[in-house]
Amino acid sequence: MMMQANGYMPEQFDMRPQQFLGDLSQGKGYEHWNGGGYGYDEPTPDLATALEATVNFMAPIPEEQHVHSACIHHLQQLARQVGPGWEVKAFGSAANGFLSRGADLDVTCYKGDIQDQDSQMALQELRFRFGPLLGQQPQFQVIQEVWSARVPIIKLRYMDIIDVDLSCHNPQALQNTHLLQAYSTLSPRIRELVLCVKCWAKAENVCGAPLGHLSSYAFAIMVIYFLQVEGTLNLPCLPVSSFSSQGSTFRADSSTWICQRPLVQLLTLFFHFYANKFAWGSE
């Protein structure tokens, strides 16, 4: 097994689930199902143990987080070469509390005095200012330039370890990240459920916006919505107005949520909700 010059092995960051969660999407995993609501018996111990192991396995290892930090630091150095006032921040799972092992790193560069999303401006900045600088950096390999997307991006490979999507002037992504990060702090159960759903989606090859599927962000939103509207779960709705691209005015101690349900039950209820109760296309 070859080790990279930076001391890390790419295999450390590989997360390829072999088998699990498939039965849950079909309502299995419980001893009995009575068909008339949520008449579950106790979940089998093996399934509960497997889910716990899955959540633990999906947690990013410290080396991966160090590589993320190093990548952002290098991009910040590049931003300073572009000019004063430029900032670089991670968004998405790398910053919202739902990071899983092997996930891509989403990063946006922006000037603090520009609050609106402008695709044409972003395209010009990426293509003519950041692109040439990135081509001179040995740590970065430019994989693809996607100029026709609603949010233009440069796809990068950093230190031959992680994939990076670099966007520009993408404030809505930062606002969404702050909102999801606040939800992730309400209870560990939220993060656990999101990770299990994301892992199932990847294992079933139904995750990934470039392939026409729902994104990881969309699956996280689905989990939160389910917890808010289903039965007696009653996850609180956080005020969107408390979050912006600059951060959050939300106080973590102003909202609490306690969930006594085991993870395996929540996951099965999640699949049942979206298979049988959610009004697709109208809700």
Side-chain angles (χ1 to χ4, degrees):
M1 183 179 294
M2 295 294 292
M3 178 172 287
Q4 301 295 321
N6 49 45
Y8 301 127
M9 292 175 289
E11 290 83 356
Q12 287 180 281
F13 309 104
D14 193 18
M15 196 282 292
R16 297 174 183 170
Q18 298 300 316
Q19 59 174 17
F20 71 113
L21 301 183
D23 287 344
L24 281 178
S25 63
Q26 303 173 25
K28 300 178 182 178
Y30 282 82
E31 295 290 342
H32 302 285
W33 163 271
N34 73 8
Y38 299 133
Y40 299 103
D41 289 344
E42 288 300 312
T44 59
D46 288 345
L47 183 56
T49 301
L51 288 181
E52 181 180 358
T54 296
V55 170
N56 291 334
F57 175 71
M58 289 187 69
I61 58 178
E63 291 85 352
E64 185 174 11
Q65 295 173 315
H66 293 159
V67 173
H68 282 192
S69 297
C71 177
I72 293 171
H73 176 70
H74 277 125
L75 289 173
Q76 288 171 337
Q77 290 180 319
L78 285 181
R80 284 194 286 270
Q81 295 181 43
V82 172
W86 280 91
E87 299 183 50
V88 174
K89 286 187 178 181
F91 65 92
S93 62
N96 65 19
F98 299 118
L99 179 64
S100 58
R101 184 182 304 186
D104 296 349
L105 176 61
D106 294 309
V107 182
T108 189
C109 51
Y110 63 97
K111 293 195 72 172
D113 57 349
I114 298 178
Q115 300 297 317
D116 297 325
Q117 191 160 321
D118 187 326
S119 295
Q120 285 304 312
M121 181 184 295
L123 173 60
Q124 298 300 313
E125 300 285 13
L126 288 175
R127 191 169 190 174
F128 298 112
R129 304 185 76 177
F130 282 90
L133 287 174
L134 286 165
Q136 302 171 14
Q137 307 302 311
Q139 302 94 340
F140 291 98
Q141 178 186 0
V142 177
I143 304 298
Q144 186 181 7
E145 297 169 327
V146 185
W147 304 138
S148 59
R150 182 180 64 85
V151 178
I153 61 172
I154 300 178
K155 289 183 172 292
L156 305 166
R157 183 77 175 167
Y158 178 70
M159 302 291 282
D160 200 27
I161 293 179
I162 59 170
D163 293 317
V164 183
D165 285 353
L166 176 65
S167 62
C168 184
H169 297 312
N170 193 8
Q172 184 176 357
L174 294 174
Q175 179 184 19
N176 295 341
T177 295
H178 295 312
L179 177 62
L180 286 188
Q181 199 277 333
Y183 275 111
S184 74
T185 63
L186 291 180
S187 168
R189 192 64 86 218
I190 301 174
R191 176 183 173 274
E192 294 166 357
L193 185 57
V194 168
L195 290 183
C196 283
V197 169
K198 286 171 60 176
C199 199
W200 165 81
K202 291 177 181 178
E204 296 296 323
N205 295 316
V206 295
C207 182
L211 301 176
H213 303 306
L214 294 177
S215 64
S216 292
Y217 169 75
F219 280 108
I221 292 296
M222 288 174 65
V223 168
I224 291 171
Y225 180 74
F226 154 72
L227 294 174
Q228 288 172 336
V229 305
E230 175 58 18
T232 59
L233 297 177
N234 297 324
L235 178 69
C237 295
L238 303 184
V240 177
S241 59
S242 296
F243 303 89
S244 70
S245 60
Q246 301 301 312
S248 167
T249 59
F250 173 73
R251 291 179 48 193
D253 59 355
S254 65
S255 186
T256 59
W257 184 67
I258 298 175
C259 181
Q260 302 294 341
R261 302 235 187 178
L263 176 61
V264 66
Q265 188 179 82
L266 287 176
L267 188 58
T268 306
L269 292 175
F270 170 86
F271 285 121
H272 177 73
F273 173 79
Y274 282 106
N276 299 289
K277 302 183 70 174
F278 182 74
W280 292 95
S282 61
E283 188 166 349

